Amino acid sequence: MRALFGASMLLYHLTQFGQLLILDPFGASAYFIEPIWYFKALGITTHVPWLTVPIFLLLMLSTGSFMAGYRTKQSIIVLVLCIFYLKGVRDSFAGDVHHRYVVLVSMLFLFYFSKCSHQFSYDARRIKDNVVEEWEASWPIRAAQTYIVMFYFWALVAKLRVTGWPWFDTAGQIQAKLLERSLRSGFDAEGELVKRAHSFELAEYVWMIWTFGALVAVFELIAPAVLFVRLRPVTIAFLVGAFCFHVANAILLNVQFYIYPFVFFTFFNMAFFARWYQSKYSDKRCEV
Amino acid sequence: MSKSNITRLLIGFHLAVFAAVVLRIDTFPLTWVPMYSQFHGVSDLTIPVGDLPRRNRGFEVATAEGKIQYIGAEQLNIPLASFRRIYYERAFLKGPPKHLRERAALNPLSDGLFDLFYADPAVSIDWEKRLMTMLNRSLERKTGDPDYIVLAVAVSEFATLSREQRRKGDFADLNITTRTATLRTAVPSS
């Protein structure tokens, strides 16, 4: 689980911070128009462009060492600090705070207190007692599953709290976002939309959009059931639904969250993989 | 860690997470998952219509000595996505979604709690001043410098769609209007 999570995060970091890497390291030091809260607390008001690449490299290195289970707890600390910094930079330029690292940081918090480094890791070589009892292996996974699932439920609650049922109207939020994202790049010389013309066309089919919205609402409402109904078809239906949700958001609304579904590894039975791995490599020492 | 300590950890973790949801705390890494929850088009929906050449050129600025320059994402050395938000939203005095929804339909307990720390960001932030400060400080221009930016202009088209139009899916007429945001550096009082 730790290795899969770490490997996926390597790609995830690139998608989230790639836009910072192409900035000129010796160019202007942008003054943040609305620093994120911890930048305000620390008095960080300006971007330091030359610092971005070293911090990103440190992020990738610490993610790699976390993946390999080398100095795992220290790696998590470094990893989280790097995320805080780079996310702070990205969000402080314009003041738009993104939530794409909330679940990951929470899962890293759980990993920190778990025994994820006691097996299939370099740290396992140094640990005298690397026996992991069943409850020790399962509590971080169950906690992560709970958090991931409730995220969807709370999203539904938030929509109802802030906007109410008009959110789901045929002329509701989904249609509004389709229009907004398709008009974002404007029109070309021929009067055609530059990007996401398919989103603009979809916005015209109001009942189709309403159906999508209703499906999302039902999905978010019953998502917590997957925590209690331990049936594989239910779990698979939830995972497929969530995957389709995030991919659709990426294609139609340009929401750069399409790699997030890697957190769904928490719903797969890693014990099965562990037994297979040990039976195949039982003569070799466990590494990663 | 012992089983009892893990139990305490999990109770604390879930309490913190749940408290954030109940109190509507959206402070990384805590959140109440409010993304896209606020819908601004219950009656009319107004959307910026992008213009890539204009956006890439950036703000038309006037300096203290009267020169006209263009300041865009490249000059400011910021990501294009961030510049887009600054150009189409902050320049038109519109804050980020987090600010706009923070106090919307908020329960009195959370409202009082937030007021202990800061005023409602949806109405208390002077985006004109912030943006002009951002432009000058990013380019290291100080008051009194001949190239100090005293005026910045952003131009954008906006589409306005009524609820009736949207319910019919009729977007033949986007009712496009052009707006100009003219931002000035505050003149210090003598």
Side-chain angles (χ1 to χ4, degrees), chain A residues 71-84:
Chain A
R71 306 285 181 191
T72 308
K73 288 195 188 302
Q74 295 90 326
S75 298
I76 291 174
I77 293 173
V78 173
L79 208 171
V80 169
L81 288 173
C82 289
I83 288 172
F84 265 78

Side-chain angles (χ1 to χ4, degrees), chain A residues 50-256:
Chain A
W50 61 263
L51 197 56
T52 300
V53 170
I55 297 287
F56 184 80
L57 287 173
L58 186 60
L59 172 72
M60 297 298 262
L61 280 171
S62 57
T63 304
S65 61
F66 165 76
M67 179 183 77
Y70 178 73
R71 306 285 181 191
T72 308
K73 288 195 188 302
Q74 295 90 326
S75 298
I76 291 174
I77 293 173
V78 173
L79 208 171
V80 169
L81 288 173
C82 289
I83 288 172
F84 265 78
Y85 176 78
L86 291 171
K87 173 192 155 51
V89 167
R90 184 190 61 189
D91 293 353
S92 298
F93 287 123
D96 284 69
V97 177
H98 298 284
H99 297 76
R100 299 173 197 159
Y101 272 98
V102 172
V103 173
L104 270 64
V105 166
S106 300
M107 290 180 69
L108 286 169
F109 174 82
L110 297 172
F111 271 120
Y112 183 85
F113 290 100
S114 74
K115 285 191 171 182
C116 66
S117 62
H118 283 234
Q119 292 194 352
F120 301 101
S121 66
Y122 282 102
D123 285 349
R125 297 178 182 180
R126 302 184 293 109
I127 297 170
K128 288 179 185 172
D129 176 20
N130 60 3
V131 171
V132 180
E133 295 185 30
E134 196 276 334
W135 73 267
E136 290 174 316
S138 66
W139 77 258
I141 294 174
R142 294 251 193 266
Q145 288 176 346
T146 303
Y147 191 71
I148 290 166
V149 166
M150 292 309 293
F151 224 69
Y152 294 101
F153 179 76
W154 289 325
L156 174 65
V157 172
K159 294 177 181 76
L160 294 173
R161 275 168 113 177
V162 179
T163 299
W165 294 112
W167 199 100
F168 300 95
D169 194 274
T170 49
Q173 177 75 311
I174 296 179
Q175 186 195 54
K177 286 299 165 191
L178 287 169
L179 291 168
E180 180 193 305
R181 298 299 160 96
S182 57
L183 291 174
R184 179 180 277 180
S185 299
F187 298 91
D188 60 18
E190 284 79 43
E192 301 294 326
L193 283 166
V194 173
K195 288 182 183 177
R196 279 177 288 282
H198 53 278
S199 302
F200 189 87
E201 287 167 18
L202 180 60
E204 296 173 352
Y205 296 91
V206 292
W207 284 106
M208 190 181 294
I209 296 168
W210 183 90
T211 304
F212 287 155
L215 286 172
V216 170
V218 170
F219 166 78
E220 291 176 341
L221 178 66
I222 65 174
V226 78
L227 298 173
F228 305 102
V229 181
R230 293 283 171 179
L231 296 172
R232 188 170 294 180
V234 173
T235 306
I236 291 174
F238 166 75
L239 296 177
V240 169
F243 180 79
C244 291
F245 169 74
H246 290 294
V247 170
N249 282 344
I251 294 172
L252 296 173
L253 302 178
N254 195 35
V255 178
Q256 304 292 326

Side-chain angles (χ1 to χ4, degrees), chain B residues 8-102:
Chain B
R8 288 191 196 99
L9 175 78
L10 286 173
I11 290 172
F13 173 78
H14 288 297
L15 274 177
V17 166
F18 191 66
V21 172
V22 170
L23 296 174
R24 284 180 45 170
I25 296 171
D26 191 25
T27 302
F28 183 75
L30 294 174
T31 185
W32 54 287
V33 202
M35 299 78 85
Y36 304 104
S37 62
Q38 190 176 35
F39 176 44
H40 297 281
V42 177
S43 53
D44 283 349
L45 179 70
T46 301
I47 307 170
V49 179
D51 182 326
L52 291 184
R54 182 187 288 156
R55 190 178 75 200
N56 291 339
R57 196 168 56 233
F59 290 98
E60 182 180 311
V61 304
T63 64
E65 61 181 346
K67 285 188 178 173
I68 301 295
Q69 298 172 342
Y70 289 92
I71 307 294
E74 192 177 338
Q75 289 74 31
L76 295 170
N77 202 22
I78 64 175
L80 279 171
S82 300
F83 184 78
R84 169 173 48 78
R85 295 184 179 99
I86 291 172
Y87 190 88
Y88 288 115
E89 295 178 10
R90 308 300 165 269
F92 290 88
L93 310 184
K94 182 183 175 190
K98 181 180 184 302
H99 289 189
L100 300 178
R101 67 186 171 227
E102 185 172 289

